[in-house]
Amino acid sequence: MDSEAGAAAPAASSDFIREMVAEDLRAGKHGGRVHTRFPPEPNGYLHIGHAKAICLNFGVAADFSGLCNLRFDDTNPAREDIEYVESIEADVRWLGFDWERRMFYASDYFELIYGYAEQLIRDGKAYVDSLTADEIREYRGTLTEPGRNSPYRERAVEESLDLLRRMRNGEFPDGAHVLRAKIDMASPNMNMRDPTLYRIRHAAHHRTGDAWRIYPTYDYAHPISDALEGITHSICTLEFEDHRPLYDWCVDNLRVAASEFKSKPQQIEFARLNLSFTIMSKRKLLALVEQKLVTGWDDPRMPTIAGLRRRGYTPEAIRDFCARIGVAKKENVIDMALLEHTVREDLNKRAPRAMAVLRPVTVVIENYPEDRVEEVEAVNNPEDASAGTRKLPFSRTLFIEREDFMETPPKKFFRLAPGTEVRLRYAYILKCERVIKDASGTITELRCTYDPDSLNGPTATRRVKGTIHWVSAAHAADAELRLYDRLFQSADPGEGGQDPLTDLNPDSLDRVTGAKLELALAAAAPGSRFQFERQGYFCVDPDSRQGKPVFNRTVTLKDSWAKITARGAQTTP
RNA sequence: UGGGAGGUCGUUCAACGGUAGGACACCACGCUCUGGACGUGGUUAUCGGGGUUCGAAUCCCUGCCUCCCAGCCA
């Protein structure tokens, strides 16, 4: 879709992780190698928060001439699906990253992971527990009280081994037994109180089918997967900080026996991305989709990569955003305005301009000949001379933006009003003579005159303050425009334990059906992006049909007039 | 009140014992046939209290606040 060739080299930004990696290299750690991985669970679509992790993992690898794997953390068959692995692949690729041939699944290692479990039992470092889930919880103690050993903790090695094999054979129902690491039930770190390594799940796995009845937990499978792939720096989010001792426990207790381990990976944690006015919880995003509160994972209002793509965001803008937000250990909430700024900046340079009238009102130019049509020349992109120019038909009957006319204009309203003049972009100066309304008082038509000597060009010496966009009525295409606003009403939708789904913005989608576009736009391919002058950036939606184009508004242009009027509304009682 | 991790402009990232800086946001002004873009200028910060030091955002002590952990989720 978007070529990566010539992508601007990111400003050599550094952060505490890159500093750690550089230090490791200096110290000769990991034999001078840098190898990271992006490890999503295929249980949902990727979102902008994942983009931060993707840019970090692939970026660190690239910065140090290392490699980054794509690995699916597919240890929980109940929630995972092939649809998600496919969408994840597509999204990472679209963002501009390449894992070459290194796409793996934790499930690739199930046999090895299982073997290590038997090894742990033989070493007296794991045991099969036959307590119920409730009992295990009771025995675990609380944050302030130590837990107690399970009565099965000292079970004979042979008995645990036999039980684990029979678990694997499917001889027991879900929940009957679990394999636990034998660490320390009195540890102040809850994760070290004999964590579960394997659980019974009679569920079909999207890759291994029904080959397995037991599945390893994340805490157990993840460090092993990292070590097997030769990962040197295992970057994850803050909530796993407490898991690091367990991560190290798994690696350290298996290293000697596991000849397949290619590295002693180290886990490094950073703060996940939070964005104002949206949510990053995959569970909640799934709920939005399942409850049909949005049209799907790629609804342009969603913070998913698929949603942003459909909305019109570019991979370059998202990567730039990720570079600008930085990487640290402090919890953060990034202002949505920054994301919007990065698309505007990117699209301003690249998007061809076009004339589109969102909510048209008819203008009849009384002193312009009935059947005359002339062509005026318009610049395709003032930021890019190589984009050239195009011809626009001009005639007696036009559409202009209803918003660009006011019967009783306030101060500093530089647009059209009775008796005032405005420039029609790339064409003539227009003067409003009369307003025509229907019985209900709605304006149906503006009767105007134009100044024949004011055509855009070297001969045009007169200047007026305002310039508005327009489209010739006889040469316009109809279109549906989808104008999006934030999906949630509050800056922090989950705040105070509230369900974010009760905080949806009822006006997050405004479908405008009678928009009038310059003709060429009707034929634009889905995914094409334009700047509709004075309105914003728009992108052709895949819902477009022959003769029925649909555009998504990616983001509005910055609008200082709107700012002035909003301010006025606030200060006027 | 167990353990772990954090507190620097409104937001975010930086400053690694030596002038607290950038970006976004905001405010002014300029420029403009997009009230866009662009240009110029500006407001605003080291959680509190002690200490060490010629010098502390940075080191030490102490207090306060926030986040994470009691899944057979990741």
Side-chain angles (χ1 to χ4, degrees), chain A residues 365-470:
Chain A
I365 306 171
E366 296 180 323
N367 60 339
Y368 195 89
E370 289 280 357
D371 48 7
R372 181 162 164 205
V373 176
E374 67 184 299
E375 288 190 320
V376 299
E377 187 166 50
V379 172
N380 287 331
N381 186 348
E383 304 292 323
D384 176 12
S386 73
T389 60
R390 67 189 186 286
K391 300 285 191 192
L392 253 26
F394 183 89
S395 64
R396 178 180 159 96
T397 307
L398 313 173
F399 294 119
I400 65 165
E401 208 70 62
R402 195 165 276 276
E403 228 181 34
D404 285 338
F405 175 83
M406 280 186 100
E407 265 195 292
T408 49
K411 273 258 173 294
K412 293 205 274 190
F413 182 80
F414 306 139
R415 308 178 191 180
L416 200 60
T420 74
E421 287 184 321
V422 75
R423 162 145 328 256
L424 290 170
R425 175 133 240 231
Y426 298 125
Y428 300 94
I429 290 173
L430 185 77
K431 182 177 186 185
C432 176
E433 306 287 353
R434 277 178 302 133
V435 180
I436 298 178
K437 300 179 183 177
D438 64 14
S440 69
T442 307
I443 296 171
T444 56
E445 194 175 301
L446 300 172
R447 307 296 290 195
C448 302
T449 54
Y450 82 118
D451 173 359
D453 297 326
S454 66
L455 181 61
N456 170 44
T459 56
T461 47
R462 287 184 61 210
R463 302 177 55 169
V464 289
K465 184 71 183 169
T467 299
I468 64 173
H469 58 283
W470 53 274

Side-chain angles (χ1 to χ4, degrees), chain A residues 125-170:
Chain A
K125 290 170 177 170
Y127 62 99
V128 170
D129 196 357
S130 306
L131 253 24
T132 65
D134 283 346
E135 288 167 335
I136 287 179
R137 190 177 317 118
E138 273 181 51
Y139 273 79
R140 185 155 30 228
T142 69
L143 294 178
T144 51
E145 307 161 68
R148 291 133 53 210
N149 287 170
S150 164
Y152 301 98
R153 198 175 199 257
E154 299 308 328
R155 166 128 81 185
V157 165
E158 281 313 318
E159 191 185 355
S160 276
L161 232 28
D162 175 60
L163 251 13
L164 180 64
R165 289 171 183 156
R166 290 167 61 197
M167 284 163 65
R168 176 177 181 169
N169 286 340

Side-chain angles (χ1 to χ4, degrees), chain A residues 274-332:
Chain A
N274 294 292
L275 246 196
S276 60
F277 294 101
T278 192
I279 56 172
M280 235 46 104
S281 155
K282 268 168 134 185
R283 217 179 97 249
K284 287 297 174 189
L285 258 14
L286 209 214
L288 283 170
V289 173
E290 283 182 334
Q291 293 175 33
K292 303 220 184 305
L293 269 8
V294 294
T295 59
W297 285 100
D298 69 342
D299 186 302
R301 293 167 296 182
M302 292 281 271
T304 51
I305 303 300
L308 292 167
R309 174 170 60 230
R310 186 167 178 180
R311 174 91 168 237
Y313 275 74
T314 61
E316 290 82 357
I318 293 174
R319 279 190 257 122
D320 182 37
F321 171 75
C322 290
R324 290 189 194 219
I325 59 179
V327 178
K329 296 197 72 154
K330 195 179 79 170
E331 301 276 358
N332 60 80

Side-chain angles (χ1 to χ4, degrees), chain A residues 243-278:
Chain A
H243 296 235
R244 198 189 324 144
L246 177 52
Y247 182 98
D248 292 337
W249 184 94
C250 289
V251 175
D252 292 340
N253 284 284
L254 256 13
R255 274 165 64 89
V256 179
S259 58
E260 299 87 354
F261 280 16
K262 297 200 193 77
S263 62
K264 175 176 163 45
Q266 58 178 309
Q267 177 180 301
I268 306 171
E269 310 85 11
F270 72 100
R272 61 162 8 100
L273 166 69
N274 294 292
L275 246 196
S276 60
F277 294 101
T278 192

